[in-house]
Amino acid sequence: MKNLSERIVQILKESKRISESDIQKALAEYAKDGSGKLRNVLVRMGLISDKELTAMLSAELKVPFINLAKYKIDPDIVRLIPEKLARKHQIVPVSRIGSTLTLAMVDPFNIVAIDDIGLLTKSKIDCVLATEKDVLDALDKVYTGESEGISDLVNKLGGEDL
């Protein structure tokens, strides 16, 4: 099975959304970077937005896309997975129906995450795709209990110093 980076390259080549030259530049940058992810390199270089790339992956992989920014996550479901594990695998539990737990993930090829969460929760795991930014924002929101950012609070208070 191909990993996520290989699938991204394949999808971009097939879609002709990004030139072969730009793909090669991004791959060179990715190889130099060493610690990052190809999707982050592509976004940082301005070649594609994270949402557009995630939508393309969703269509190609036939894995539903979820806009976590507009999704209300049940705190009871979040308690099923320790924060450290959720952050490590960049996953957000979004629903549970019977013995099936649905996870929003950045990387649906992360079999280790799927297996870990399945064993921990004794659940069958279904995956949906989400952007990395949405997953990180949702993790901050659900595990810190903050439903609003500091700028939202300042605006509510009329810009007064906190």
Side-chain angles (χ1 to χ4, degrees), residues 8 33 36-46 50 53 90 106 132:
I8 288 172
D33 187 312
K37 297 175 184 167
L38 178 60
R39 69 186 305 145
N40 294 344
V41 171
L42 291 161
V43 171
R44 187 175 59 239
M45 290 177 71
D50 196 17
L53 182 55
Q90 292 188 322
V106 174
E132 184 170 22

Side-chain angles (χ1 to χ4, degrees), residues 42-59:
L42 291 161
V43 171
R44 187 175 59 239
M45 290 177 71
L47 298 173
I48 195 166
S49 74
D50 196 17
K51 276 199 191 299
E52 183 180 0
L53 182 55
T54 303
M56 289 173 76
L57 282 168
S58 172

Side-chain angles (χ1 to χ4, degrees), residues 72-80 93 142-143:
K72 177 118 173 79
I73 299 167
D74 181 348
D76 291 334
I77 294 170
V78 172
R79 289 187 198 104
L80 295 171
V142 299
Y143 286 106

Side-chain angles (χ1 to χ4, degrees), residues 65-85:
F65 173 77
I66 186 171
N67 184 347
L68 282 176
K70 296 182 179 188
Y71 193 86
K72 177 118 173 79
I73 299 167
D74 181 348
D76 291 334
I77 294 170
V78 172
R79 289 187 198 104
L80 295 171
I81 301 172
E83 178 180 1
K84 187 175 182 178
L85 189 61

